[in-house]
C-alpha cells in the first residue's frame, strides 16, 4: 500500500509494540497529543499510558531512563521532539550509552528517534542535522532513511537491534512523500546502502532528503546525456564501504551530497574512504555539495541559499563530467 | 516579600529547630515560609484517565466555579505606573492579534507563539527592571520586549523573517538580543539555557563593580531541564542578582504540570537552592510587579537570586498550529474569567476609577493605531537577499570593540596579595 | 523514617496552612520535616579567607571539640547482621589498604580512590538491598561491591588493568557492571548520569510487573550537575523506587560543600522534588542501614524515590595523588574521632558486647587473610593482549540474547482499549 | 627561556590577567587547589577569589556563566577539569555560544580550555580528544597546540579573540616537553598552520601530541632516505587550507595523523580539502593514521594498541613512499 514517510515510521513502531511487549515509547508530548509530529498518534489509546510515557522536559533523563530500562531487557523507543535538542543529552549518549558494550559488555537495545532537517523554514533550532556528532562516536548506529519503505524497515530493524540506534527522520519528508510499503512484516538491514538509480557517468553518494534532490537533478541531467548513479546510504554509521567503493569503481567520479554543514561533515569521511578503497579509480576530484558552514538561517531566501539544491547538483555534475 | 531582610546565607526561607534531646526521637523540624501573594488558591488538578471508549484523555478536578479574586493593591505602583503597565499589556495583546492576522494572511514564516493570558506576567515583571538591568525573554514574553523599549515591528519582522528584523532574517520569534542599548540576551529554543547565561551577566557586571538585576523566565515545563537547576544553583552560590520567573501556566505543550514535577508548587524548589521563593497570581499585574520589584531590589543590594512562581494558564495552544484540544474545556472557562487585561481594566476603571471609560477607550484605540502603524512598517520591509545567509559566523577583526560595559573591572588591590609564585618568577 | 506512611502525591515532607483570610496578610506557611537520625549536628563551616601572607586558604569555624556521639541502635538490624556489616566494612578498608600498597609497589595503573571514613555508608546501604534490587556504585563505594557479592580481586584487577578484570582491562576502578547476576550498572566518570539510568532500570522492572529498589550514590559535589536533578525528578514524577544516597562528605575534590550549594542540608532538596528526604550520620552504620532499608521498602511498595543525605568526611585526598593540604587540619582531627569502623568496633565489642575482643581479632585476621588471598590472585592475572583493545564496540548478532529480566512485561489487557486508529486500519 | 608546555599556558593566562582586568577564570578546583593539573596554581593568591572562581560541578552553568559574562565585555577563561566532560555542556556550547554571532551579532570573547588526550593511561573518560564535535560546529575556533611556544602564543591569542575559542591542552605534553619561549609578549595567530619540518617525499599533516610522534618517525625515516615534511595545524578550526594545499603540492603524497578515533575524524575533512584544492597533485592515496573506532581503553597494552604510534607512521610512510 502507499504510505507517507511518517505513517511508515508510525506503523513500524506500532507493529513492533504489538509484536514485542518489551518495546515501549517515552518522550515529550507523545501520549495524548501523539507527539509534535503525530508519529505516536493513537499509541496511548492502544498501548496504554504505561507503555507510552509522557516525560518531563529533560533530555538527559529521557536517554538515561531509556538506557536503564534497556538494561533490564526492555526495548525503549525515545523521541526527541526535534533532533536539534539531542545536544541536551549529549554526554549521556556519548559517554554512558555508546561506550557501554565496549567497556563492560552490556547490550543497550534502545532507539533514539526524532525529526531532523531543514527545508521547512524551521530556523536555526528546528532544522538541524546533527548526525555527524554521533557518526564520530563509536558504539552507536546512525540511521537516516529517505523513503517510506526504508523508514519502516529500518525503524523495525533498529528496534530489534541490540545496539543503541539513533534514527533521524527527515521532517521535510514526513508528509511530502509517499511510497509503496508491503503489508507483510519486513526489515531493512542496518548498514547497507542502496543504489536508487543506476547510471554510468558519475555517482552521487547521499542519503535522507538529499536522495530526492539527487533524483530530481538526475532527471534534468538525463536530458543532457549525463547519467547519474545515486547511492542512498540509508545508514550513516556504520557506513557501507563496499557500496561506496563499488559505485566509484563503476563511474570513476563522485559527488557527495549532504544537508548538514560542510566542515567536519560526512563528505569528508567518505572522501577518506574512497581514497583508501579506490583511489586509483578516481578520474576527478571528489566533490562536496553541502549546507553552508553556519547555523541554518530562518528566512526562506536565506535558508534556500544555505541548503543544497537541485541546481547545485546539476551544476556540479556538469562540471565534474567535463573534468 | 517577607524574606527581604533575611540575608542569612543559609535557608533564607526558613528556620529550624530540634525537638527533643532524647536520641531516639530527635527529628529536625523545619519551617519554611514561601510567601504567596495570591488572593485565591485554585485547587484544580489534571490527570490522565482512560475513558470507556478506550481513549486516554486529561481530566480536571477541583472547584471550577470559584469566584474571581480582586486585584491586590500594589505596595509600590502609582496610578500612572499602573496605567502604563496596563497600556503595555494592551500593546502586547493587540500585537499578538495582529500577528495572528498576519499569519492568516500567509505573511508569517513558521508559527506564531502567544502570551495570551500571560500579559500581566510579561509586562509587569519587565516593568520592574531599571535601565541598567538585563533581561532575556522566553517565547511568550513578547510583552517584556515592548516594556524594554523594543518596537512591535521588531517582533513582527522576526515572525515575517524580514531583512530589517533584528536578526536580519536569520532567526524568528523573540529570538534576538541587544547588548548595546537594551541589555537583552537572545533566547535560544533549548529551554533553561538562559538561566546560567543571565547569571553570568550578573557576574560580569559585578566584576565591574555593579550589582545589576538579571531577569529571565522559564516555563513549568522548561524548568525540568538540568541546566535550569545548574543555573539557579550557580546564581545562589555566587549570590548573583538573578530574578527568575517561573511561568507556571499549567501546560508544557500538551503536558500538564502534574507530569513535570511532584512537589506542590515550583516555588518550593527555592528551599533547596537556599534562596527566597515567592508565589504570585500571574494574572494580577500588581502582584507580579511587587514580587519582581522586591527581587530586583534584592539584586541591586547584592542579596542574590529570587525565584518567583507566577501561576496562570496558557490560554491558547502551544503555538498557532495547536488547537489545544487536550486541555479540558472547563479549565479554559475558569481561567478566561481571570483574564489579566479584563481584570486590570476593571480595577483601573471601575474599582480605582483611575481611568474613565472614555480614557480607556482612547487608550485602546491609541494602542491599536500604534500596532497598525507598526504592522505597516513591518510588512513593507523586504525579504532578505539570499546571499545574506553568508558571513558573520565569526566576529571578524574590528567587528566589535569589546570593552567592559560598566567600566573597568575591579582588580585585587595593592601588592600585598602579590606573591612570587612560580609563574611570577618565570615572567621576569 | 516518619514520612514512610505519608503516601500523598504532593509535598510528602510537609503540610501547609494559610494564616489569615485578610488579603493583605495572606502568606503560605509550610512546615516540612526532614527526619534527621543523627545524634549530633556538627556546626563546622568552611570558607575562603585571604591571609596576611596574601595566600587564600580554607578556614574552618565551629565547635571542633564536640564529643563523639554514640551509635544509634538500629530499629531493624540483628546482632548477626551488625557483625556482618562490620565485617564488610573491615573488608572494604583492608582492601583499600592493600590497594594503597599495590600502588606504592607500582602495580596500579593510574590513581587509587579511597572510601576511607565512608565505609559505613557504602556497606550498610548496599546491605539494605534485596537480591533482586539493582545498584550502581560511585568511585568511593568499593564497599558496596563487596556487599553485593563481588570479590575484592575484581576491584583490584580493575585498578591494575588486568586481563581478568571485569572489564578485561578496558576500564579501571569500580567502573564495571553486571546485568546478569548482580544487577549492577557500571558508573561512568561523569557525575550524576547514573541517576536517570537507575530510574530507568526501575521503570523497566515495573513494566515487567516488578517494583525493585534501585540504589545509587552521588557526592555533595556531583549532585550539582543538572542530570542529577533531571534524574531525581524523573523518578519522582514516575514514582520509581530510586534510593539515592548523597554522600555529603564535605569536599568535592578541593571544593568545600559550601561552594556547591547554598541551602543548609542537601536533604532539603527533597522538598522541591516532592519526595521524602532524610539525614543520617554517614559514619554510623545503623543509621545508614535504617534509612536505606526504609527507602528500599518504600521502593518495593511502589511508593517512589527517597533522598538520603549521609553526612561524613572524605578522610583522604580526592585520589592517591592528592595530599588534601587544602583541608584545614582540625577537620581531619574532628572526623578522625568519628571513624566509622572504630566506632562500630567499640559499639559491638564494648557497648553491646556482641563480639569479644578475641572474636574481633579473629574477624580482623580472617579479613586480612581474605584480602591477601585476593591480592595474590589479582596480581597473578596477566595484562591483556594489545589486540584485546579491538572488538566489542557493537553487540554483534547473537552476542546477547535479550529478554525481559523479570518475565513478560505487562501489556494493556483486552481489546477494550483497542481503537481503529489510522495505523490500525493501515495495518490490514 | 625554557618552559614546559603547562607552564607556558599558565604564563599566558597569567599575563593576560595582568594586562587586562576583564580577563578572569572560572572552573572546578581552580582556586586554592590551582586546578587538577595546576595550570592556575597561584592565581587566586595573585588575582583574588573574585577573578579566580571555584564553581559547583556544573559544566553547562560554567559555560553559560562564562558566556553571559562575555556579553558584558568580560573575557572569561573557563576550565574543564578534563575535556572529556565537555559533552556535559554540549548544548550550551553548540546552540547558545557558537550561534550567537551569526544569529544576533553579539561577540562572545570566551575561552573554554582544559586537558585532553591519551598516552597517560587515563582510561575511557580521561583520555578523550573531543575536538571534532566542535570543528563540526560553525562559530567556534578550536585550537590544539603542540609546543610551549605555540601554547603560550595561542592561549593569549584566544583570550584576545572576540570569538568563542576552545583550547585543547594535551595532557601528555604538559610536563613532558620543554621549549624556548620568549620573555616578551607575543601571540601566535589563530588559524595558521606551521611547517615544523621541511621535507620532500611526503607530508604528514597533524597537530598536538602527534606532532612529536611524527617528528620521531621522521628521524627514523631520514636514515632510510625518506624525507618527511610535517605540517602542524595548530588550529583545527578554522583550518589553514592554504598550508595544507601547499605541502601536498610540494610532496604530492600525504598522511593525515590524528589521535582521535577514525570515523568522522579530522582526516576526512582534510582529505576532502585536498581533493578540492590539489587533487591533480596527488601521487598516491591520502592515508589516515588515527585512533581506533572505540573508546580509549584503560590498560596500557590496549591503550598502546589503540593510539597512533611512531611505528605506524614509519610503516605507512614507507608504504606510501613506495606507492
Ligand atoms: C530542551 C528542550 N526540549 C524540548 C523543547 C521543545 N519544546 C519547546 S516549548 C516546549 C514546552 C514548554 O513548556 P513550558 O516550559 O511550560 O513553557 P510554555 O510553553 O508553557 O510557556 C517544548 C517541549 C525545547 N524547546 N527545549
Ligand atoms: C560532570 C563531571 N564534572 C567534573 C568531574 C571531575 N570530578 C571527578 S570527581 C570530582 C569531585 C566529586 O566530588 P563529590 O561529588 O563530592 O564526590 P566525592 O569525591 O567527595 O566522593 C570532580 C570535580 C566529573 N567526574 N564529572
Ligand atoms: Mg508551561
Ligand atoms: Mg564530596
Amino acid at each position: 500500500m502507499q504510505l507517507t514517510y511518517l505513517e511508515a515510521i508510525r506503523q513500524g513502531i506500532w507493529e513492533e509494540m504489538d509484536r514485542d511487549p518489551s518495546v515501549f515509547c517515552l518522550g515529550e508530548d507523545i501520549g495524548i497529543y501523539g507527539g509534535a509530529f503525530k508519529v505516536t498518534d493513537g499509541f496511548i489509546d492502544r498501548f496504554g499510558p504505561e507503555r507510552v510515557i509522557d516525560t518531563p522536559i529533560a533530555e538527559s533523563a529521557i536517554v538515561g531512563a531509556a538506557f536503564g530500562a534497556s538494561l533490564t531487557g526492555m526495548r525503549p523507543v525515545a523521541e526527541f521532539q526535534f533532533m536539534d535538542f539531542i545536544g541536551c543529552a549529549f554526554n549521556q549518549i556519548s559517554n554512558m550509552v555508546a561506550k557501554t558494550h565496549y567497556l563492560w559488555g552490556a547490550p543497550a537495545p534502545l532507539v533514539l528517534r526524532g525529526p531532523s532537517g531543514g527545508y521547512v523554514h524551521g530556523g536555526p533550532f528546528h532544522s538541524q542535522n546533527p548526525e555527524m556528532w554521533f557518526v564520530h562516536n563509536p558504539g552507536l548506529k546512525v540511521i537516516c532513511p529517505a523513503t517510506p519503505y526504508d523508514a519502516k524497515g529500518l525503524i523495525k530493524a533498529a528496534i530489534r537491534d541490540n545496539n543503541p540506534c539513533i534514527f533521524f527522520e527527515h521532517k521535510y519528508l514526513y508528509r511530502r512523500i509517499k511510497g509503496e510499503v508491503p503489508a507483510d512484516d519486513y526489515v531493512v538491514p542496518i548498514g547497507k546502502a542502496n543504489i536508487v538509480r543506476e547510471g554510468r557517468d558519475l555517482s552521487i553518494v547521499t542519503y535522507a532528503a538529499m536522495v530526492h534532490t539527487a533524483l530530481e537533478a538526475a532527471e534534468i541531467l538525463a536530458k543532457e546525456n549525463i547519467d547519474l548513479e545515486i547511492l542512498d546510504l540509508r545508514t550513516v554509521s556504520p557506513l557501507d564501504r563496499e557500496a561506496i567503493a563499488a559505485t566509484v569503481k563503476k563511474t570513476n567520479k563522485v559527488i557527495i551530497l549532504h544537508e548538514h554543514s560542510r566542515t567536519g561533515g560526512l563528505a569528508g569521511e567518505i572522501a577518506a574512504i574512497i581514497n583508501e578503497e579506490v583511489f586509483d579509480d578516481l578520474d576527478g576530484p571528489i566533490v562536496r555539495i553541502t549546507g553552508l558552514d553556519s547555523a541554518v538561517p530562518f528566512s526562506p531566501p536565506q535558508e534556500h541559499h544555505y541548503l543544497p539544491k537541485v541546481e547545485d547538483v546539476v551544476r556540479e555534475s556538469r562540471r565534474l563530467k567535463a573534468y | 516579600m517577607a524574606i527581604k531582610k533575611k540575608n542569612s546565607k543559609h535557608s533564607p526561607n526558613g528556620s529550624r529547630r530540634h525537638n527533643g534531646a532524647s536520641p531516639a526521637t530527635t527529628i529536625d523540624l523545619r519551617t519554611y515560609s514561601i510567601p504567596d501573594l495570591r488572593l485565591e488558591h485554585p485547587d484544580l488538578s489534571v490527570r490522565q484517565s482512560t475513558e470507556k471508549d478506550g481513549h486516554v484523555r486529561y481530566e480536571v478536578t477541583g472547584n471550577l466555579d470559584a469566584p474571581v479574586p480582586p486585584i491586590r493593591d500594589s505596595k509600590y505602583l502609582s496610578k500612572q505606573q499602573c496605567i502604563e503597565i496596563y497600556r503595555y499589556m494592551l500593546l502586547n495583546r493587540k500585537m499578538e492579534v495582529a500577528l495572528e492576522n498576519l499569519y492568516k494572511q500567509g505573511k508569517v514564516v513558521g508559527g506564531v507563539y502567544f502570551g495570551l493570558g500571560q500579559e500581566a506576567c510579561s509586562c509587569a515583571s519587565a516593568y520592574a527592571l531599571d535601565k541598567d538591568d538585563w533581561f532575556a525573554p522566553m517565547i511568550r514574553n513578547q510583552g517584556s520586549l515592548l516594556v524594554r523599549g523594543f518596537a512591535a515591528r521588531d517582533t513582527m519582522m522576526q515572525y515575517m523573517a524580514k531583512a530589517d528584523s533584528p536578526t536580519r532574517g536569520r532567526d524568528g520569534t523573540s529570538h534576538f538580543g541587544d547588548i548595546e542599548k537594551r541589555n537583552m540576551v537572545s533566547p535560544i529554543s533549548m529551554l533553561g539555557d538562559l538561566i546560567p547565561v543571565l547569571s553570568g551577566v550578573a557576574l560580569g557586571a559585578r566584576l565591574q563593580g555593579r550589582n545589576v538585576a538579571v531577569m529571565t523566565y522559564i516555563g513549568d515545563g522548561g524548568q525540568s531541564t538540568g541546566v535550569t537547576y545548574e543555573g539557579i544553583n550557580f546564581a545562589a552560590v555566587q549570590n548573583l542578582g538573578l530574578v527568575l520567573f517561573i511561568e507556571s501556566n499549567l501546560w508544557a505543550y500538551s503536558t500538564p504540570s502534574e507530569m513535570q514535577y511532584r512537589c506542590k508548587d515550583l516555588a518550593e524548589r527555592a528551599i533547596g537552592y537556599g534562596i527566597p521563593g515567592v508565589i504570585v497570581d500571574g494574572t494580577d499585574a500588581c502582584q507580579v510587579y511587587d514580587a519582581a520589584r522586591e527581587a530586583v531590589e534584592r539584586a541591586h543590594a547584592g542579596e542574590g537570586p529570587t525565584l518567583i512562581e507566577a501561576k496562570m494558564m496558557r490560554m491558547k495552544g502551544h503555538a498557532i498550529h495547536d488547537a489545544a484540544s487536550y486541555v479540558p474545556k472547563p479549565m479554559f472557562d475558569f481561567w478566561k474569567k481571570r483574564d489579566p487585561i479584563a481584570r486590570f481594566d476593571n480595577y483601573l476603571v471601575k474599582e480605582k476609577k483611575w481611568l474613565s471609560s472614555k480614557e480607556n477607550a482612547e487608550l485602546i484605540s491609541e494602542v491599536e493605531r500604534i500596532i497598525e502603524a507598526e504592522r505597516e512598517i513591518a510588512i513593507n520591509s523586504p525579504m532578505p537577499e539570499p546571499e545574506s545567509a553568508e558571513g558573520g559566523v565569526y566576529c571578524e577583526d574590528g567587528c566589535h570593540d569589546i570593552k567592559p560595559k560598566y567600566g573597568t573591572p575591579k582588580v585585587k588591590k595593592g601588592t600585598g596579595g602579590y606573591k612570587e609564585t612560580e609563574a611570577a618568577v618565570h615572567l621576569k
Side-chain angles (χ1 to χ4, degrees), chain A, chain B:
Chain A
M1 79 209 111
Q2 288 277 317
L3 293 185
T4 62
Y5 180 90
L6 184 145
E7 185 54 29
I9 296 166
R10 181 160 170 264
Q11 275 196 13
I13 306 171
W14 179 289
E15 289 178 17
E16 291 304 297
M17 286 186 75
D18 245 354
R19 197 183 57 79
D20 180 354
S22 60
V23 181
F24 74 100
C25 294
L26 72 170
E28 295 156 15
D29 305 295
I30 66 163
I32 289 176
Y33 194 65
F37 286 87
K38 302 287 178 191
V39 173
T40 55
D41 197 24
F43 279 45
I44 197 170
D45 295 337
R46 173 67 180 89
F47 301 108
E50 298 80 17
R51 289 178 74 197
V52 185
I53 301 172
D54 273 319
T55 66
I57 302 174
E59 280 75 11
S60 287
I62 293 170
V63 172
F67 172 69
S70 82
L71 295 177
T72 70
M74 300 296 289
R75 293 185 177 275
V77 180
E79 173 170 305
F80 285 92
Q81 198 155 84
F82 286 85
M83 277 305 201
D84 306 63
F85 305 138
I86 200 164
C88 300
F90 194 84
N91 179 60
Q92 193 72 277
I93 298 172
S94 174
N95 284 310
M96 178 71 74
V97 174
K99 296 186 172 55
T100 290
H101 196 269
Y102 181 73
L103 293 180
W104 58 285
L110 61 130
V111 176
L112 308 176
R113 52 159 288 276
S116 61
Y119 298 91
V120 299
H121 318 321
F125 304 108
H126 293 79
S127 307
Q128 295 178 28
N129 291 287
E131 57 268 22
M132 273 317 285
W133 301 327
F134 306 101
V135 170
H136 185 57
N137 227 321
L140 303 169
K141 296 191 175 177
V142 183
I143 302 160
C144 303
T147 67
Y149 178 89
D150 286 348
K152 181 169 176 183
L154 282 164
I155 190 73
K156 288 168 76 94
I159 292 172
R160 297 181 196 181
D161 199 286
N162 285 349
N163 294 284
C165 294
I166 310 192
F167 192 85
F168 289 90
E169 303 166 6
H170 202 293
K171 69 175 86 66
Y172 179 82
L173 304 180
Y174 265 156
R175 297 175 192 277
R176 280 189 186 78
I177 60 161
K178 281 202 162 194
E180 194 57 35
V181 175
D184 299 343
D185 182 41
Y186 71 98
V187 296
V188 169
I190 296 170
K192 288 270 167 264
N194 186 29
I195 298 283
V196 293
R197 185 185 198 281
E198 302 221 28
R200 46 159 219 274
D201 290 329
L202 57 93
S203 303
I204 311 279
V205 176
T206 189
Y207 62 97
M210 295 298 90
V211 170
H212 305 279
T213 304
L215 283 166
E216 267 189 65
E219 291 306 301
I220 294 168
L221 291 162
K223 293 176 199 132
E224 307 172 14
N225 240 339
I226 300 179
D227 189 15
L228 297 192
E229 172 144 312
I230 301 173
L231 182 70
D232 175 3
L233 293 167
R234 302 198 288 198
T235 298
V236 294
S237 183
L239 281 166
D240 188 343
R241 294 174 77 98
E242 289 71 37
I244 295 166
T247 189
V248 176
K249 235 183 159 68
K250 176 176 172 194
T251 65
N252 311 115
K253 289 183 174 175
V254 60
I255 293 175
I256 308 159
L257 166 64
H258 59 66
E259 190 181 325
H260 57 260
S261 60
R262 168 166 305 213
T263 302
L266 192 68
E269 176 61 28
I270 295 176
I273 290 175
I274 292 170
N275 261 274
E276 287 161 356
E277 303 273 346
V278 284
F279 175 73
D280 289 329
D281 294 295
L282 276 181
D283 285 349
I286 300 164
V287 173
R288 295 193 274 187
I289 303 176
T290 70
L292 301 182
D293 273 331
S294 74
V296 187
F298 172 55
S299 196
Q302 293 171 333
E303 187 194 21
H304 184 77
H305 185 77
Y306 173 99
L307 290 168
K309 290 165 281 298
V310 173
E311 55 262 40
D312 296 331
V313 181
V314 169
R315 184 190 62 244
E316 293 302 314
S317 298
R318 285 186 190 133
R319 205 168 63 89
L320 186 57
K321 174 82 195 304
Y323 186 89
Chain B
M1 195 150 55
I3 32 68
K4 205 186 150 195
K5 287 287 108 186
K6 289 197 198 133
N7 189 23
S8 68
K9 180 143 165 53
H10 286 308
S11 297
N13 304 292
S15 59
R16 63 204 285 268
R17 75 189 158 81
H18 306 297
N19 66 343
S22 140
T25 59
T26 297
I27 201 168
D28 211 349
L29 264 188
R30 294 158 196 221
T31 310
Y32 302 92
S33 82
I34 302 285
D36 185 342
L37 304 187
R38 288 177 301 168
L39 299 182
E40 71 165 350
H41 297 79
D43 63 349
L44 310 187
S45 140
V46 175
R47 63 159 173 263
Q48 289 182 336
S49 83
T50 308
E51 302 188 359
K52 285 208 207 73
D53 63 3
H55 279 294
V56 181
R57 294 205 178 85
Y58 289 118
E59 190 180 75
V60 62
T61 53
N63 179 8
L64 288 151
D65 299 319
V68 180
I71 295 281
R72 178 193 276 270
D73 288 333
S74 167
K75 286 198 268 176
Y76 309 106
L77 289 168
S78 69
K79 168 184 155 180
Q80 274 323 314
Q81 290 177 310
C82 281
I83 294 171
E84 205 180 347
I85 291 174
Y86 173 63
R87 183 172 166 280
Y88 280 123
M89 289 165 63
L90 287 172
L91 271 171
N92 182 355
R93 181 160 301 177
K94 301 286 178 194
M95 181 182 84
E96 294 187 0
V97 170
L99 282 170
E100 188 163 3
N101 289 331
L102 287 168
Y103 179 88
K104 289 183 185 147
Q105 293 154 19
K107 295 201 159 68
V108 163
V109 178
V112 180
Y113 292 80
F114 301 101
L116 189 72
Q118 308 186 196
E119 295 90 343
C121 184
S122 291
C123 297
S125 57
Y127 195 81
L129 291 171
D130 288 351
K131 185 161 183 308
D132 259 357
D133 294 329
W134 285 64
F135 86 117
M138 290 292 279
I139 209 154
R140 300 195 195 288
N141 304 114
Q142 298 169 158
S144 315
L145 296 170
L146 299 168
V147 174
R148 293 297 287 173
F150 292 96
R153 80 191 76 158
D154 292 327
T155 305
M156 289 173 163
M157 288 190 294
Q158 287 279 110
Y159 274 110
M160 294 188 283
K162 297 287 198 165
D164 301 315
S165 81
T167 61
R168 292 162 298 122
R170 290 182 171 182
D171 204 347
T173 69
S174 55
H175 286 188
F176 57 101
D178 172 6
I179 58 170
E180 308 283 339
K181 283 201 226 128
R182 298 202 177 85
N183 296 347
M184 168 179 167
V185 182
S186 174
I188 63 172
S189 290
M190 293 72 187
L191 301 166
D193 278 331
L194 275 173
I195 299 170
V197 171
L198 272 276
S199 303
V201 166
L203 178 66
R206 185 170 68 194
L207 282 161
Q208 298 162 38
R210 227 10 200 281
N211 281 320
V212 299
V214 290
M215 182 181 284
T216 188
Y217 308 83
I218 189 74
D220 48 316
Q223 64 77 42
S224 296
T225 56
V227 69
T228 297
Y229 171 82
E230 292 193 3
I232 304 175
N233 191 55
F234 188 89
V237 168
Q238 282 289 326
N239 205 37
L240 299 165
L242 175 70
V243 180
L244 182 62
F245 265 88
I246 302 191
E247 299 187 296
S248 238
N249 64 2
L250 302 178
W251 298 93
Y253 211 146
S254 74
T255 305
S257 59
E258 280 82 352
M259 295 173 77
Q260 295 287 346
Y261 55 91
R262 186 176 168 158
C263 56
K264 176 141 188 53
D265 299 306
L266 284 168
E268 292 177 306
R269 296 201 159 168
I271 296 165
Y273 293 116
I275 63 172
V278 56
I279 300 174
V280 298
D281 179 344
T283 64
D284 176 340
C286 292
Q287 289 183 31
V288 170
Y289 179 84
D290 284 9
R293 187 62 208 172
E294 289 177 9
V296 166
E297 282 174 9
R298 288 189 72 244
H300 292 165
E303 292 174 10
T306 309
L307 194 67
I308 305 171
E309 182 182 8
K311 306 258 197 188
M312 55 211 168
M313 187 163 116
R314 189 195 72 202
M315 294 303 283
K316 284 198 171 246
H318 177 63
I320 204 161
H321 69 275
D322 171 19
S325 56
Y326 46 81
V327 176
K329 184 148 178 320
M331 288 182 79
F332 275 123
D333 301 338
F334 179 92
W335 286 99
K336 185 135 195 7
K337 289 184 240 155
R338 285 149 182 83
D339 180 83
I341 293 185
R343 281 174 71 202
F344 212 29
D345 171 333
N346 181 67
Y347 179 75
L348 297 174
V349 177
K350 300 233 175 83
E351 276 196 48
K352 291 287 173 187
K353 307 207 192 319
W354 286 346
L355 267 185
S356 70
S357 293
K358 182 152 165 286
E359 285 165 337
N360 190 26
E362 273 166 22
L363 190 60
I364 292 172
S365 54
E366 182 226 332
V367 160
E368 277 167 351
R369 274 195 311 276
I370 293 174
I371 294 297
E372 181 48 31
E374 293 286 316
R375 203 189 82 96
E376 278 304 303
I377 297 169
I379 283 185
N380 289 327
S381 170
M383 291 303 273
E385 293 302 318
E387 295 71 24
S388 68
E390 292 183 32
V393 170
Y394 290 124
C395 175
E396 311 288 356
D397 273 358
C399 102
H400 266 92
D401 176 24
I402 297 180
K403 46 183 188 315
K405 198 169 163 83
Y406 299 104
T408 312
K410 272 202 303 215
V411 172
K412 193 168 176 178
K413 294 283 173 2
T415 51
Y418 189 85
K419 179 187 138 218
E420 298 284 312
T421 62
E422 207 183 329
V425 171
H426 280 150
L427 282 179
K428 279 165 198 162

